[in-house]
Amino acid sequence: MKNIFNFSIMLTWLLLVQISCGKETEKPLPEPEPKPSGPTPVQFSKPSYFPAPVYDLSKNPLTEEGIELGRFLFYDGILSRTDNIGCGTCHQQQAAFTHHGHDLSHGVDDKLGTRNSPSVQNMAWNTSFFWDGGVHAMDEVPPVPIQNEVEMGERTANVIEKLKKTPVAGAVKQVDYPKMFKAAFGTDEITADKMMKALSQFMMTMVSATSRYDYHLQGDASALNALEKEGLSVFKQKCSSCHATELFTDHSFRNNGLPPNRINDQGRYAITLNESDRLKFKVPSLRNVGLTAPYMHDGRFTTLEEVLNHYANDNVKPGIHESATLDPLLKTGTKPGIQLNASEKQSIIAFLKTLNDEQFIRDKRFSDPGIGTSL
């Protein structure tokens, strides 16, 4: 009996040893992949036929969270003294981010500005900003309207303090900015630098390149009709010296013969104090030009027909204003201006309307998230 008991113990021990040895020979399970943490990177992509962007993305890489934070800030009236004027008030999506129908935009307390709101699109390629080029870096653009007494009338430091105190009880939309800044930058610390970078990230994504003209460029033979193609040809001959490249601007400053307006706006001269810059304004892009009336730096023209009549100096009063800084391209004919007949004007206008980008003005990525400052 004792021998049988000893044999059982021995057998049990052998089985345990075998099981134990078997475990040692099993391959160890692979270590689980670490879950990504922090903001989600976004790759900036440009149309193949656009030049290289000038904005230095290495200093402000795009992320999903940064872009979304920028979108909220863009539309939030909290950036203004009265808490009801946001960037989106004067830069409305349905008008290619201009203030359609307003020659001069209305800011806080319904005060009037002095210039027409330029379009916010394809900002990554801009070498300077505003009609007079007073700012050269996109991160430095937002403080200008924020601190302008007529536009937002606020101080950046006050904006930062208001953002820190969100969410605000009773607000139209509850927004927790400390949480959003933490998601975008890894810390809930809110600074002016981070706010500007978030706004830049959002504006960097606002690329307009899905117009019928873009489809034409990419080989769609039916994208433009005969009149529009004729207009493209005339445009290249008579307009593309200034409205150059697929961005439709050479980013220069020119005196296009407009008589000084009622406030005697001297344009870029106010920035440089250089006599050669008097009455010069930035050449705007013509992308979405059919959606962005009124036109010129002070919105004096309400239609494209009026614009071309001015350039043609064709029985309009007042005509081209001749001054020392009038652009040389407007002095090549028998009279100041660009020689254009009625047929050419008609075809150019037809072509310009093919630059309207319906996808761009309906893209939900650029829309108001519910902040509600698009008046």
Side-chain angles (χ1 to χ4, degrees), residues 3 6 19 48-49 54 61 92 98 118 173-174 178 203 258 265 278 281 283 290 323 333 343:
N3 289 337
N6 288 338
I19 290 171
S48 60
Y49 43 90
V54 298
Q92 300 180 351
T98 63
K173 184 177 180 66
Q174 294 292 309
M203 290 188 285
L258 290 174
D265 192 341
R278 278 196 187 277
F281 296 88
V283 175
S323 66
S343 175

Side-chain angles (χ1 to χ4, degrees), residues 2-19:
K2 183 178 180 180
N3 289 337
I4 292 173
F5 178 74
N6 288 338
F7 177 75
S8 296
I9 292 176
M10 180 69 72
L11 182 60
T12 301
W13 181 81
L14 287 173
L15 285 173
L16 288 173
V17 169
Q18 191 173 26
I19 290 171

Side-chain angles (χ1 to χ4, degrees), residues 45 54 78 259 283 293 310 375:
S45 61
V54 298
I78 201 171
V283 175
H310 163 74
L375 302 178

Side-chain angles (χ1 to χ4, degrees), residues 203-224:
M203 290 188 285
M204 280 286 293
T205 66
M206 298 163 73
V207 176
S208 176
T210 47
S211 67
R212 285 199 289 125
Y213 171 71
D214 292 289
Y215 289 115
H216 166 77
L217 279 182
Q218 295 171 75
D220 183 347
S222 63
L224 305 187

Side-chain angles (χ1 to χ4, degrees), residues 38-39 69 176-191 194:
L69 172 60
D176 188 337
Y177 279 112
K179 184 178 180 180
M180 294 188 77
F181 272 80
K182 186 169 186 176
F185 297 107
T187 168
D188 56 7
E189 180 190 27
I190 298 178
T191 65
K194 289 184 174 70

Side-chain angles (χ1 to χ4, degrees), residues 6 40 67 128 137 168 177 203 289 309 327 331 344 348 367 375:
N6 288 338
T40 308
I67 295 167
S128 62
V168 178
Y177 279 112
M203 290 188 285
V289 70
N309 285 339
D327 197 276
K331 296 189 289 187
E344 289 173 326
I348 289 175
S367 65
L375 302 178

